[in-house]
Amino acid sequence: METAGEWPEVSVAAGLPSGDCAALFRALTVEEADVKRRELLFELAMALGGLPALRLLRHLSADEEVRLAQAVQGPGRVDAQSVTAIEKLIAQCWRLDEAYGPSKVFRLANAQRDLVARLLHEKSLTPALRDRLVTAYWSLSHLGGWLRYDVLDYAGAVQWYGQGLEAAHELGDPTRLSHMHGCLAILECDRGRPTQALDHAFAAQAWAQESPSRLQRAVSSQTLARALVDAGRGDHGLRALDRAYDLASASRTEIDPPHLYWCTPARMLWNRGHCLAATKRPDDAIKAGEQVLTQLHESAGRARGLVLLEQTKAFVQKREIIAAAQKLSDVADITTRHTSVRLVDSIRTTRQQLQPWATNTYVRDLDEKLRELGIAG
């Protein structure tokens, strides 16, 4: 990541198709009677990704919109309220991804990070504002890496996560350093590279010990558990998960950063389900999954789908083929509402475990559904 004074100056509105400009103008003409506010929202939306950004901007106050517009317009106008507005937009992007998946968020995340990079190019920032903007850059690198990971663009995810690591180093922030190493560890688990995954997981653990956030320590223990299990060290992994669950059960404090909004005991149980299925304890994995599903909101489509996939694997281990096919069918339904490529790929991989029972009526029905949805491998 570029150091002070070396940030690239970029045009955040560059590359938007002319049709998007027209669509944005039409939408604002319908929604906004006030001409000045319409012009302000047009400029902001253009800087933040076009028409999709309008939904995000509705979460800002009128004053935050004005301050953010001033920051977009030119040098020397960045203040605390404009940075707060950016932070709120990032939080909304995470909520959009949780509900709908990466296709709804890619353009927004890219445009916001370009904007933050341009603001960091300013020479008039106070140290406090600069730190907040570097933190925002870290957050958007984290988000962008996650979105790329979710569409199986591993090289792109590594690049964005790596830029997040550089931002965390500039901040000297052990919490965010730990989290980035944890993200890279999970990515390497999914790539089937357990040694590299353990490398990052141990680094995440080391940085977490320097962090004041108990939730970050929970996440690093969870990550280590996944890496240990995937490396064939199941008992060690389950013990790490117990630590993660205990840490996540503590009350959230203001020390815990916003990016850990998802860190709850239920999410720790979800990972326990994965580890139990991976260590051939299917009954316990199914039970853990049921506990998680009762606590996950219906809008958390990808999370629910991944829990159901772990249950599917457990049912296959028990040779309960009807239940496995039904669970996988439920996951397929989620893909009609959520754009996670990782979820679709996991359905195909898990379906292969049912191949010995390909002539089973329920599996044939599942295959027909997957073909209709365009998921069949």
Side-chain angles (χ1 to χ4, degrees):
M1 188 184 75
E2 295 85 351
T3 56
E6 296 176 353
W7 290 85
E9 192 159 12
V10 294
S11 173
V12 295
L16 285 182
S18 58
D20 284 17
C21 299
L24 176 59
F25 181 79
R26 286 194 298 270
L28 284 169
T29 300
V30 171
E31 295 178 22
E32 292 296 337
D34 185 276
V35 174
K36 287 187 177 180
R37 178 170 165 77
R38 190 188 305 164
E39 291 174 351
L40 181 145
L41 288 174
F42 183 86
E43 182 172 8
L44 280 177
M46 286 296 293
L48 295 169
L51 184 60
L54 273 186
R55 180 172 181 174
L56 293 186
L57 292 171
R58 300 304 183 192
H59 294 277
L60 301 182
S61 68
D63 190 48
E64 286 169 340
E65 289 172 355
V66 170
R67 296 304 181 95
L68 185 56
Q70 289 173 345
V72 167
Q73 286 164 355
R77 300 190 179 190
V78 181
D79 61 13
Q81 282 182 284
S82 57
V83 179
T84 297
I86 291 169
E87 292 164 347
K88 289 173 74 170
L89 295 178
I90 294 170
Q92 290 303 321
C93 280
W94 278 108
R95 294 186 180 96
L96 278 177
D97 170 69
E98 182 92 1
Y100 303 107
S103 70
K104 298 285 187 180
V105 190
F106 259 120
R107 184 192 292 183
L108 301 172
N110 292 347
Q112 285 181 58
R113 199 177 76 149
D114 284 349
L115 171 61
V116 171
R118 180 167 69 81
L119 297 179
L120 281 166
H121 193 271
E122 307 287 348
K123 301 187 189 317
S124 57
L125 295 170
T126 66
L129 280 179
R130 179 176 176 80
D131 281 353
R132 286 182 66 186
L133 278 175
V134 174
T135 300
Y137 188 92
W138 177 92
S139 297
L140 289 161
S141 297
H142 174 209
L143 175 60
W146 166 258
L147 296 174
R148 284 158 178 78
Y149 164 58
D150 203 40
V151 299
L152 305 183
D153 175 12
Y154 293 131
V158 168
Q159 179 183 357
W160 279 59
Y161 283 154
Q163 290 163 353
L165 268 178
E166 292 174 8
H169 276 298
E170 178 170 331
L171 292 165
D173 187 334
T175 301
R176 288 174 171 79
L177 282 165
S178 175
H179 200 74
M180 281 294 92
H181 278 293
C183 290
L184 287 162
I186 296 299
L187 182 150
E188 296 295 358
C189 284
D190 279 7
R191 295 173 84 177
R193 307 204 307 181
T195 302
Q196 290 91 333
L198 282 171
D199 235 12
H200 284 295
F202 285 128
Q205 276 281 92
W207 281 113
Q209 297 309 309
E210 304 295 322
S211 169
S213 170
R214 182 176 293 194
L215 289 186
Q216 186 59 58
R217 293 197 293 277
V219 172
S220 67
S221 291
Q222 169 201 275
T223 301
L224 179 61
R226 167 73 189 275
L228 287 168
V229 166
D230 286 5
R233 297 160 63 179
D235 289 340
H236 294 288
L238 291 173
R239 284 197 290 273
L241 268 180
D242 288 338
R243 290 196 297 276
Y245 184 86
D246 290 342
L247 289 164
S249 299
S251 298
R252 186 178 298 269
T253 71
E254 60 184 24
I255 292 174
D256 297 308
H259 66 265
L260 298 180
Y261 70 93
W262 57 271
C263 183
T264 64
R267 295 293 177 106
M268 298 300 118
L269 280 175
W270 163 16
N271 283 275
R272 187 172 185 81
H274 168 85
C275 293
L276 289 165
T279 53
K280 303 296 190 292
R281 305 182 199 189
D283 289 322
D284 291 335
I286 292 165
K287 182 179 178 181
E290 289 304 320
Q291 288 179 270
V292 176
L293 289 170
T294 62
Q295 298 178 59
L296 281 177
H297 194 274
E298 286 294 330
S299 65
R302 177 177 46 222
R304 294 183 68 84
L306 293 171
V307 173
L308 289 167
L309 281 165
E310 299 303 338
Q311 288 189 309
T312 302
K313 296 171 188 175
F315 279 121
V316 172
Q317 288 176 15
K318 288 166 62 67
R319 294 177 179 265
E320 294 185 16
I321 304 309
I322 295 174
Q326 289 173 334
K327 290 289 184 184
L328 203 53
S329 177
D330 291 342
V331 184
D333 288 334
I334 291 172
T335 66
T336 65
R337 309 183 299 273
H338 199 284
T339 60
S340 171
V341 177
R342 182 162 51 103
L343 195 59
V344 171
D345 185 68
S346 296
I347 291 172
R348 292 174 179 146
T349 302
T350 306
R351 165 58 186 85
Q352 290 304 309
Q353 298 180 19
L354 288 167
Q355 194 55 31
W357 300 275
T359 58
N360 179 286
T361 299
Y362 289 89
V363 176
R364 289 205 308 270
D365 290 345
L366 170 66
D367 286 344
E368 179 60 28
K369 182 174 191 173
L370 296 182
R371 279 192 291 273
E372 290 175 357
L373 294 174
I375 297 176

